[in-house]
Amino acid sequence: MRYLFLLAMFLMFIGALAAQDFSISGKVVDKNTSLPLPGVSVFVPELNRGVVTDLDGMFKIVGIPEKNIKLQISFLGYATIVKTVKANAEKDLLFEMEEYATTIDEVVVSGAYIMSKESSPISIEKVDRVDLLKMPAPNLMSALARTPGVSEISLGPGISKPVIRGLSFSRVLSLYQGARFENQQWGADHGLGMTETGIANIEMIKGPASIIYGSGAMAGVVNLIEERDAQAGEIEGDVNLRGFSNSLGGRSELGVKGASENGFVWSLRGAAESHADYLDGDGNTVGNTRFNTQNLKAGMGLQKKWGDTRFRYTYLKQRLGILEEDEMDELVTTRNDRSMQLPFQDVRDHFFNSETNVFLGEDRLKATFGYHINQRKEIEDDFDEVDLGLRQSNFMYDIKYYKTITEHVEAIFGVQGFYLQNTNMEEAEEILIPDASKDDRSVYALLNYNKDKWVIQGGLRYDYRKVIADASAPNLVDYGFILPGNPADRRLERSFDGFTASGGATFRPDNHWRFRLNIAQGFRAPDLAELFSNGPHPGTSRFERGDASFVREQNVQTDFGVRYTNNGFSISGEVFYNHIDNYIFFSPTDEMVEDLTVWVFEQADARLYGGELELGYQPTAAKWVNFGSSYSWVIGQRRSDNSFLPYIPAFRWTQSVDFRLKSMGRIQRPYVSVLGSLIFDQNRAAPLEEATPGYYLLGLNIGGNIQVANNVLDVYVSGTNLLNQTYLDHMSLFRPFGINQLGRNIALNVRIPF
């Protein structure tokens, strides 16, 4: 690590000597009227900086490297433009924007290369911050689960984790500020643990991304992208206020950021959220589903000719109620009661992060370092006692060198890894997994060819992981925790290694068609719970037992997608087949330990297949209205007997109609959106799993910008489950108990910029 750090500092010094000051300038106009468009966002994702056009539609971005960079030009109600330009090479750029209600193409960064979403051979979905504000959810993952091919496993509105094309738990990797976010995702009752505070957008890779991110990304990636830096010489801020009718929830967020003329940037943001117990469609209170969170984040950095560097700190505290089936009536208290009651989780995260980019001509070095401290307490019997207590620390690094080989060929060479330690708190009353460490190291190389109508990508990666389980600590000895095989020194060591490869291509013969094919390997080393768990888990009320002989999961997934667009009409289809060896899953047994059912991990070969179909239509004669629809499906089976896998989402069909209305006095850019979701019967239940009947949910969004004095407020009102349906979600951990999901909910969100 010391040599890597010295190399980064040396290259930064060389870059500082070689850098020059360049700029990009131009004008943005309406394609039909040729009139200038003020307030258009002109953004450089590679630099995380940008400007907005002035009253004459003009813009200028200074202090950028002399190299090919991607520009994203976006404006509400217009199709996003993505264009590659070179600083100082093109003067007085002219961008003509065309009215369009939805955005098909935009820049994405999660596929390692910064490129147009439509050009990427990897399937990447993007959810913008505005989408979260228009239709908020009690937690971030619930909002993301509206994306085709993405769903959630939930334990009430405060606890949920991502499911991408039927795969979940430790198979979906979370990225925060460019680094791994490890927070015990192996637990069924452990949520994503990330919030929308200070986030510009979220990108989700649908399919194996192990070639880029390593173990844990065999299903895909959820990548939270930080908000943009302030414009040079400006201080910007905003207040976000939100309320939920169903859980009487409230969220407040305050943020401010600034940038000096000499390149110093800074930001500070905080948020707090509180919810009471929710009501189902019959008006019944679901006791102890209350939760509250507090979030604080700060950052500072430099933007210079040689590149940029940023340092950030994030603190997140969550207190999450846990429902227990045999105490449901006792857990119901007064309607607005928010005080914690037993049992509940207390989860705290400290995340330190640095990201540095150094530009060396057309080449770039990017170094990301992170240190994450996660503390998880599950408190069940007494407020002064900790039933399950885990303390985790994780140091991670990812150093990439982007090498421009020719005008159309770029390579990435990288080293990546982390060192994680997980220990049981001495005061914990129960032990589920032993103390353990993970040492993960990898090297990889990726190649990208981008010319005319073709984008072709390929890569190769080698990973090595060593896992050491240690049950010799006095608290584990006193508890009587036993490792598999009961070794005399109370230690076990496992190692996992191997190569993975991927390749894909995108072909865009004209402005109407796009074809995409990707074949990728993914892998996942078994997590600590799957290998070594041997004890009660308070959050799930069961006894869990692992198997130290498990080998790593390995998959090969093939994706094929087609999109056609013409005159406001678009249709796209994506199909996939995922072939998995050594798939690990959880199932109950007939064995009991005291009053807890024993659940064991098993390993078998599996397959998953399915896809997504999306339609969009904006009539040429009525560009103020837009129709959309999507259909997503996935089937998961064991390959040995074709029996179905557990926790596979039901087929889903969504519909939407969006109306963009004319401004009315102080109300600017008003809109109305009607949304429907038909969830079909899930009759493909796994052994010992019950089928779930389907249901229909209706939603409505209205909003716009309201002029108040010299300020413009963004006001959004949304309604979900307006028909107040009483239903069971197949992916809910409440489903086996017959506990219904959230009833009708009205949310109000007000954003006040200053």
Side-chain angles (χ1 to χ4, degrees), residues 689-707:
E689 186 181 57
E690 295 182 0
T692 308
Y695 50 91
Y696 185 80
L697 301 178
L698 180 66
L700 176 68
N701 298 340
I702 60 175
N705 311 121
I706 300 179
Q707 182 83 34

Side-chain angles (χ1 to χ4, degrees), residues 116-324:
S116 155
K117 181 165 73 86
E118 283 296 283
S119 296
S120 172
I122 301 172
S123 180
I124 303 176
E125 295 287 350
K126 189 171 183 178
V127 177
D128 193 82
R129 168 74 169 166
V130 175
D131 298 323
L132 300 178
L133 297 177
K134 285 184 176 180
M135 196 172 182
N139 73 75
L140 178 61
M141 193 56 239
S142 295
L144 302 181
R146 305 183 187 114
T147 306
V150 179
S151 52
E152 62 174 330
I153 291 176
S154 66
L155 189 70
I159 304 173
S160 69
K161 63 173 78 255
V163 182
I164 298 180
R165 289 178 169 176
L167 294 180
S168 55
F169 293 90
S170 300
R171 300 176 184 91
V172 179
L173 180 65
S174 300
L175 287 179
Y176 184 68
Q177 297 174 350
R180 300 176 68 101
F181 192 86
E182 295 275 1
N183 66 339
Q184 316 281 1
Q185 275 293 299
W186 49 265
D189 59 325
H190 303 169
L192 180 67
M194 305 166 80
T195 74
E196 65 190 75
T197 307
I199 297 302
N201 54 72
I202 299 96
E203 295 180 1
M204 290 169 285
I205 297 178
K206 297 192 299 186
S210 297
I211 194 72
I212 307 169
Y213 299 108
S215 178
M218 67 177 293
V221 171
V222 177
N223 186 7
L224 275 65
I225 311 296
E226 286 293 298
E227 64 179 333
R228 302 175 182 179
D229 295 328
Q231 294 188 54
E234 300 287 337
I235 295 179
E236 307 167 9
D238 62 84
V239 175
N240 282 278
L241 303 175
R242 183 180 301 168
F244 297 88
S245 66
N246 187 289
S247 61
L248 303 179
R251 187 178 196 274
S252 57
E253 179 179 335
L254 170 64
V256 62
K257 59 184 178 180
S260 67
E261 296 288 355
N262 64 3
F264 178 73
V265 295
W266 58 272
S267 62
L268 181 64
R269 187 171 288 272
E273 187 164 0
S274 174
H275 291 260
D277 298 337
Y278 78 84
L279 304 178
D280 68 11
D282 292 328
N284 299 315
T285 302
V286 182
N288 208 25
T289 53
R290 64 197 64 177
F291 66 96
N292 61 72
T293 65
Q294 292 87 45
N295 194 192
L296 176 68
K297 60 191 303 183
M300 63 179 182
L302 286 175
Q303 297 176 344
K304 291 295 185 180
K305 302 172 185 178
W306 50 263
D308 56 74
T309 187
R310 290 172 182 83
F311 301 90
R312 303 184 182 100
Y313 166 73
T314 300
Y315 170 71
L316 177 62
K317 176 183 177 182
Q318 304 174 83
R319 291 165 69 88
L320 310 160
I322 301 174
L323 183 146
E324 288 201 335

Side-chain angles (χ1 to χ4, degrees), residues 460-696:
L460 184 67
R461 180 186 183 103
Y462 174 74
D463 285 86
Y464 173 80
R465 173 179 292 187
K466 181 170 69 174
V467 180
I468 299 176
D470 189 346
S472 63
N475 55 323
L476 275 75
V477 173
D478 294 341
Y479 181 80
F481 185 88
I482 302 298
L483 287 170
N486 196 14
D489 61 355
R490 301 183 63 83
R491 286 169 56 93
L492 276 180
E493 181 175 320
R494 290 291 315 277
S495 62
F496 307 89
D497 70 324
F499 288 92
T500 49
S502 71
T506 300
F507 177 53
R508 303 177 74 176
D510 51 40
N511 293 330
H512 303 300
W513 290 96
R514 185 266 290 153
F515 301 90
R516 176 163 58 205
L517 174 67
N518 193 59
I519 302 174
Q521 285 185 303
F523 73 96
R524 183 181 71 92
D527 60 42
L528 298 179
E530 293 165 341
L531 291 170
F532 307 119
S533 61
N534 188 20
H537 191 174
T540 58
S541 298
R542 59 196 183 199
F543 192 97
E544 301 179 2
R545 187 174 293 151
D547 188 333
S549 67
F550 284 159
V551 296
R552 79 176 194 169
E553 292 181 338
Q554 191 85 30
N555 73 327
V556 178
Q557 180 168 313
T558 301
D559 295 83
F560 178 71
V562 180
R563 183 187 294 279
Y564 174 77
T565 61
N566 190 28
N567 292 330
F569 173 78
S570 70
I571 181 171
S572 67
E574 299 267 352
V575 293
F576 70 91
Y577 180 82
N578 194 351
H579 186 91
I580 308 177
D581 293 331
N582 310 312
Y583 181 81
I584 299 173
F585 58 95
F586 214 15
S587 62
T589 69
D590 296 329
E591 183 183 352
M592 301 288 293
V593 174
E594 296 181 351
D595 59 342
L596 298 177
T597 300
V598 175
W599 285 62
V600 298
F601 290 97
E602 300 180 33
Q603 194 164 52
D605 296 336
R607 60 170 167 260
L608 293 96
Y609 54 94
E612 300 90 39
L613 178 66
E614 296 184 64
L615 289 166
Y617 178 56
Q618 182 184 45
T620 304
K623 292 187 176 182
W624 49 271
V625 63
N626 185 73
F627 302 92
S629 183
S630 69
Y631 182 77
S632 56
W633 75 100
V634 59
I635 295 174
Q637 296 174 302
R638 294 195 204 189
R639 300 210 307 267
S640 59
D641 59 7
N642 290 328
S643 62
F644 295 109
L645 298 176
Y647 288 112
I648 299 297
F651 294 4
R652 181 174 64 187
W653 176 34
T654 65
Q655 319 87 40
S656 66
V657 184
D658 303 320
F659 302 92
R660 290 187 298 117
L661 309 178
K662 293 182 178 180
S663 297
M664 298 174 287
R666 294 181 179 271
I667 303 177
Q668 304 171 11
R669 301 189 184 93
Y671 69 88
V672 177
S673 298
V674 182
L675 307 102
S677 294
L678 176 61
I679 288 78
F680 292 85
D681 296 343
Q682 173 52 299
N683 295 320
R684 296 164 299 281
L688 303 178
E689 186 181 57
E690 295 182 0
T692 308
Y695 50 91
Y696 185 80

